[in-house]
Amino acid sequence: MNASTKLNSRPQYLLWFCRLFVGLLFIFSGLVKANDPLGFGYKLQEYFEVFHTTFLNDYAAAISITVCALEIILGIALLLGYKAQKVSWGLLLLIVFFTFLTFWSAAFDVVKSCGCFGDAIPLTPWQSFLKDLVLLALIAFIFIKRKYIQPLFSSKGLMNALMAIAVVFSFGVGIYTYNYLPFVDFLPYHVGANLPENMRIPPGAPKDEYVITYSLKHKKSGETQKMTDKEYLKTEIWKDANWQIVGEPQNQLLKKGYEPKIRDLIIADSQGTDYTSEIIENPYYNLVVVAYNLNKADEKGMGDINAIAINAAENYNVRTVLLTSTTSEAAELYSKKHKLMMEVFNADAVPLKSIVRSNPGLLLLKNGVVINKWHFHTLPTYNELESRYLRQLK
């Protein structure tokens, strides 16, 4: 046995470490995003906007499910040692693409969060880029050593069966959560969340700290200099009439203050009157219907929700409101056309998409707490809603 053969026969401990780390991370990343494919789809739409490919917006959910499934499949294949040559190429191409996206986001500040781990673990663009650099190094090593990766099981039939299960599972998770709701809701509107509490800034909470920079120019000498607002006051340069401020002062955020979990939800009527507190803090059971885009809302789902609202109002005087980002005029026409038994209010599409991953979706609130929420595919019947919740009103 020559020296080269001996070297190749040694256990590839570093290679195994890289396979385990990369494989498990890809599976975790894919599962976290597949838990909420609509959320990842919204993130993809931000990238489509940046790269002027908005024609892909209608396919964002399908692309989201596919990308998540691909991550999981590649991670499982790497751990199993299945088709190592092709899997290594797939991993390398995918991580190069992800690294480019995260670098672009960080360098040009175009997408504030890459969505690498969904809403479970928010990362800044630079954190995402550094994470991808580490993965790129590990995957590059796997790629170089790919010929040493051996299948975990010698039976080709067993390996094919395991990968078939992996493919069905990977796509199945995303398709299921797309058609229903995430298994785990990481957003501040989850069941059990206290919405007023999530919108409140506690007394004494730290505020954003900014530094203001002035550009100054001396009228006589033409000398220029920059100084912060504190330096401007301390040096009392403002007393010298020869120094004048040129251009607009620049504000730079030094330290981020406290941010409530919900900071962008404003509910208003067609006249612009704010009804946020009245609706969110209702002390009684109330139904909140969310349809961020009425033109794309599932009509059968909206009809089923309307039937629930009618019965709840007639039997228990339960208030039902519809929140939408559709224009007031179009929303009113939609309401009349479908004979909706609910008050219509406007809110921005971004928080509405976060409230429930369904168009339309239904929430049951009481005293600001999300008692339950439903996708239009899993709506309760009125009898189920009554027996579980509304009978408590009598």
Side-chain angles (χ1 to χ4, degrees):
M1 183 181 291
N2 58 38
S4 177
T5 305
K6 287 181 180 179
L7 181 63
N8 294 346
S9 64
R10 291 176 183 171
Q12 300 288 329
Y13 295 117
L14 184 56
L15 178 59
W16 259 111
F17 168 79
C18 293
R19 283 175 62 185
L20 286 171
F21 186 88
V22 172
L24 292 175
L25 191 63
F26 262 67
I27 293 170
F28 174 76
S29 174
L31 282 175
V32 167
K33 292 196 291 290
N35 173 68
D36 183 12
L38 265 178
F40 184 50
Y42 296 146
K43 184 60 61 178
L44 290 176
Q45 289 177 358
E46 293 183 40
Y47 283 107
F48 297 158
E49 185 75 28
V50 170
F51 293 104
H52 307 291
T53 54
T54 51
F55 64 90
L56 293 172
N57 281 351
D58 290 340
Y59 309 100
I63 295 171
S64 168
I65 292 171
T66 302
V67 171
C68 296
L70 186 60
E71 282 191 77
I72 299 169
I73 292 167
L74 287 174
I76 293 173
L78 181 62
L79 294 178
L80 291 176
Y82 183 82
K83 295 188 182 297
Q85 297 282 342
K86 293 181 179 178
V87 169
S88 299
W89 270 108
L91 287 168
L92 185 63
L93 292 175
L94 199 60
I95 195 59
V96 167
F97 178 66
F98 284 162
T99 304
F100 165 74
L101 284 184
T102 53
F103 170 75
W104 193 275
S105 298
F108 298 99
D109 195 28
V110 288
V111 178
K112 301 300 181 182
S113 173
C114 75
C116 301
F117 298 116
D119 293 294
I121 309 176
L123 297 177
T124 66
W126 282 116
Q127 289 172 334
S128 301
F129 175 61
L130 292 175
K131 179 264 297 177
D132 284 343
L133 280 183
V134 173
L135 278 175
L136 179 60
L138 296 176
I139 291 173
F141 180 79
I142 291 171
F143 182 80
I144 294 169
K145 294 283 188 177
R146 62 190 183 279
K147 65 180 179 180
Y148 299 120
I149 298 176
Q150 299 299 319
L152 199 60
F153 302 103
S154 57
S155 171
K156 188 174 289 188
L158 176 60
M159 291 288 285
N160 288 335
L162 290 173
M163 285 308 303
I165 293 171
V167 171
V168 172
F169 170 78
S170 301
F171 279 97
V173 171
I175 293 171
Y176 179 88
T177 51
Y178 172 77
N179 284 286
Y180 297 93
L181 287 178
F183 293 113
V184 182
D185 191 345
F186 294 104
L187 294 167
Y189 302 94
H190 60 81
V191 174
N194 187 311
L195 301 188
E197 189 66 29
N198 286 344
M199 298 175 73
R200 192 173 295 123
I201 297 177
K207 298 180 180 179
D208 291 348
E209 294 182 16
Y210 291 89
V211 61
I212 302 174
T213 303
Y214 297 111
S215 294
L216 303 172
K217 184 176 182 179
H218 198 276
K219 293 179 180 179
K220 295 181 178 179
S221 66
E223 180 188 352
T224 61
Q225 61 173 307
K226 291 186 176 183
M227 59 175 56
T228 66
D229 53 337
K230 292 181 179 179
E231 293 170 337
Y232 183 76
L233 294 174
K234 185 178 180 180
T235 59
E236 297 187 345
I237 197 172
W238 53 274
K239 292 182 178 180
D240 187 343
N242 288 313
W243 285 100
Q244 62 179 1
I245 297 175
V246 293
E248 292 294 326
Q250 295 181 344
N251 279 353
Q252 182 182 358
L253 181 64
L254 287 181
K255 187 178 180 182
K256 193 69 180 172
Y258 178 88
E259 276 193 349
K261 293 179 181 178
I262 300 173
R263 56 186 182 276
D264 54 359
L265 179 62
I266 300 174
I267 301 169
D269 65 5
S270 59
Q271 305 302 315
T273 305
D274 192 334
Y275 279 84
T276 309
S277 297
E278 178 181 318
I279 292 171
I280 295 301
E281 298 177 10
N282 189 331
Y284 306 105
Y285 277 125
N286 59 307
L287 294 170
V288 176
V289 184
V290 178
Y292 77 91
N293 187 338
L294 284 173
N295 297 322
K296 296 183 178 180
D298 185 87
E299 289 199 12
K300 182 182 182 305
M302 188 63 80
D304 292 341
I305 292 174
N306 194 42
I308 293 172
I310 291 171
N311 282 302
E314 289 179 350
N315 298 318
Y316 294 93
N317 199 31
V318 171
R319 183 186 190 185
T320 301
V321 300
L322 167 64
L323 309 184
T324 182
S325 64
T326 303
T327 62
S328 299
E329 295 79 6
E332 188 171 343
L333 289 174
Y334 184 96
S335 180
K336 289 180 179 178
K337 178 183 176 182
H338 294 85
K339 300 178 181 178
L340 299 183
M341 183 62 71
M342 53 191 78
E343 303 166 69
V344 180
F345 294 92
N346 287 102
D348 188 77
V350 173
L352 293 184
K353 290 177 180 179
S354 298
I355 291 174
V356 58
R357 301 300 201 197
S358 177
N359 188 34
L362 178 65
L363 279 76
L364 178 65
L365 299 183
K366 185 179 182 182
N367 202 28
V369 175
V370 180
I371 305 300
N372 212 333
K373 64 164 64 174
W374 297 272
H375 191 284
F376 64 81
H377 282 152
T378 60
L379 290 170
T381 65
Y382 170 72
N383 290 335
E384 290 171 343
L385 188 72
E386 180 187 38
S387 61
R388 187 170 179 184
Y389 304 106
L390 303 185
R391 279 181 187 163
Q392 299 175 25
L393 296 176
K394 290 187 175 180

